[in-house]
Amino acid sequence: MKTRWAALMAAVALAGCQQGPSVEDAWVRLPAVPGRPAAGYAIVHGGSGGKDVLTRVASPAVERIELHESMASHGGMMAMRPLDSVRVKGTVGFGPGGKHLMLFGLSSELRAGGMIPLTFAFGDGSKVTVDAKLVGAGDPAPR
């Protein structure tokens, strides 16, 4: 009986240790031309369950955010395609030349050096909100 009780308590303790997804190093490159979309980047870590799916990103500072991926098309030209979701097994980088966020309808109040909140929503209903640094079109990426 003690062995079963100890095993049950260990299972409950391990289940309580599972962590959800997290997001770090979020930043947004503002467009060079006002009215054009901005690009957003971040590092997304899956939770300890390994079954996380990023379904949406939102911010009160923009009208909408789409998940996108850059890829080489026929003839070597770069093209983008929208993504419905992104499976996060381990770590997924959203960066220039790969998966990224497209931010449409930016507030005219946004300026380089500022911050905006980004809320990353996952298929299991969990959400992670982080502050993303705003970077000017010609400025170096943050470190």
Side-chain angles (χ1 to χ4, degrees):
M1 184 70 165
K2 284 185 178 181
T3 305
R4 284 188 198 167
W5 181 254
L8 176 63
M9 293 309 291
V12 168
L14 285 174
C17 292
Q18 287 192 359
Q19 296 179 3
S22 63
V23 179
E24 64 182 7
D25 297 334
W27 61 285
V28 171
R29 177 155 322 271
L30 295 171
V33 178
R36 300 291 298 173
Y41 310 108
I43 298 171
V44 180
H45 302 283
S48 58
K51 297 179 182 177
D52 296 306
V53 177
L54 177 64
T55 58
R56 185 172 175 266
V57 180
S59 175
V62 300
E63 288 178 14
R64 78 178 192 281
I65 300 175
E66 295 178 2
L67 304 170
H68 277 226
E69 181 172 37
S70 295
M71 61 198 163
S73 65
H74 301 295
M77 298 294 293
M78 291 301 288
M80 281 191 298
R81 69 179 177 111
L83 302 170
D84 291 328
S85 62
V86 175
R87 178 163 296 285
V88 183
K89 189 171 183 177
T91 299
V92 174
F94 285 76
K99 289 178 179 61
H100 59 279
L101 309 173
M102 293 298 299
L103 292 81
F104 297 89
L106 281 72
S107 165
S108 60
E109 307 289 318
L110 300 180
R111 300 284 181 264
M115 305 281 270
I116 63 168
L118 296 178
T119 299
F120 292 73
F122 297 87
D124 66 356
S126 64
K127 294 181 180 181
V128 176
T129 300
V130 296
D131 287 327
K133 183 175 184 177
L134 299 175
V135 177
D139 296 340
R143 296 179 189 236

